[in-house]
Amino acid sequence: MLKKERQMQEKRKFKRFDCNIKTTFFYFEGNPEEIDIKKESGKKTKGSIIDISCGGVFIATNENIPTGRPVKLQFKLKKYYIETTGKIVRAGTIVNNPTETAQKIKDNKVKADLFIAVEFDNELETLNEEDM
């Protein structure tokens, strides 16, 4: 199992960082191809970012949002305030979820039943341990 985990980590494009960062985000209902997130306000909700990389985030939330939806995220790191957009690429329940990141949510005792994985539209330029 450890060998398989290492192989998966090596395939990742960006280094991931464990964290517990509060976020406000907006998601948009309707046909994702027709949504203009610059003009529409979206539905506001909250969550906790549990895992972050330059390419995206894994968020624990209580909002059931299907994959493919565009999102607008707002969160603060130690040195920066980030506002970015992205797309939900995975979503699911935390209970009985064997993935490593779902286990992190349980370990951090975040009060959430669901998760979403968001891929950023534009990658963050840099991200390191000191930013958390």
Side-chain angles (χ1 to χ4, degrees), residues 36-122:
D36 183 350
I37 62 174
K38 292 177 183 172
K39 293 181 181 176
E40 297 179 39
S41 58
K43 183 173 180 186
K44 182 178 180 178
T45 192
K46 296 183 184 273
S48 294
I49 299 171
I50 300 301
D51 183 293
I52 187 169
S53 76
C54 287
V57 291
F58 192 98
I59 300 173
T61 184
N62 285 314
E63 198 72 37
N64 188 8
I65 311 166
T67 59
R69 299 275 180 227
V71 293
K72 192 183 305 182
L73 298 149
Q74 301 169 338
F75 56 94
K76 186 177 180 194
L77 300 177
K78 282 185 182 174
K79 298 177 184 176
Y80 331 52
Y81 177 76
I82 307 254
E83 271 192 51
T84 191
T85 58
K87 178 174 77 171
I88 299 173
V89 292
R90 284 192 323 275
T93 60
I94 295 167
V95 176
N96 299 323
N97 186 327
T99 64
E100 177 186 346
T101 308
Q103 296 306 311
K104 286 183 210 173
I105 294 169
K106 291 178 190 175
D107 293 346
N108 285 330
K109 296 181 174 70
V110 173
K111 293 180 182 176
D113 298 321
L114 304 164
F115 73 87
I116 59 171
V118 176
E119 181 179 345
F120 296 146
D121 290 334
N122 298 302

Side-chain angles (χ1 to χ4, degrees), residues 6-62:
R6 278 194 206 133
Q7 288 173 345
M8 286 178 59
Q9 289 174 353
E10 291 169 8
K11 290 181 182 180
R12 292 182 176 149
K13 186 174 178 181
F14 301 105
K15 180 177 170 127
R16 293 177 179 229
F17 298 94
D18 293 343
C19 57
N20 191 346
I21 301 168
K22 301 295 180 202
T23 181
T24 299
F25 64 98
F26 301 84
Y27 67 95
F28 300 82
E29 297 176 323
N31 182 346
E33 302 296 321
E34 297 174 359
I35 296 169
D36 183 350
I37 62 174
K38 292 177 183 172
K39 293 181 181 176
E40 297 179 39
S41 58
K43 183 173 180 186
K44 182 178 180 178
T45 192
K46 296 183 184 273
S48 294
I49 299 171
I50 300 301
D51 183 293
I52 187 169
S53 76
C54 287
V57 291
F58 192 98
I59 300 173
T61 184
N62 285 314

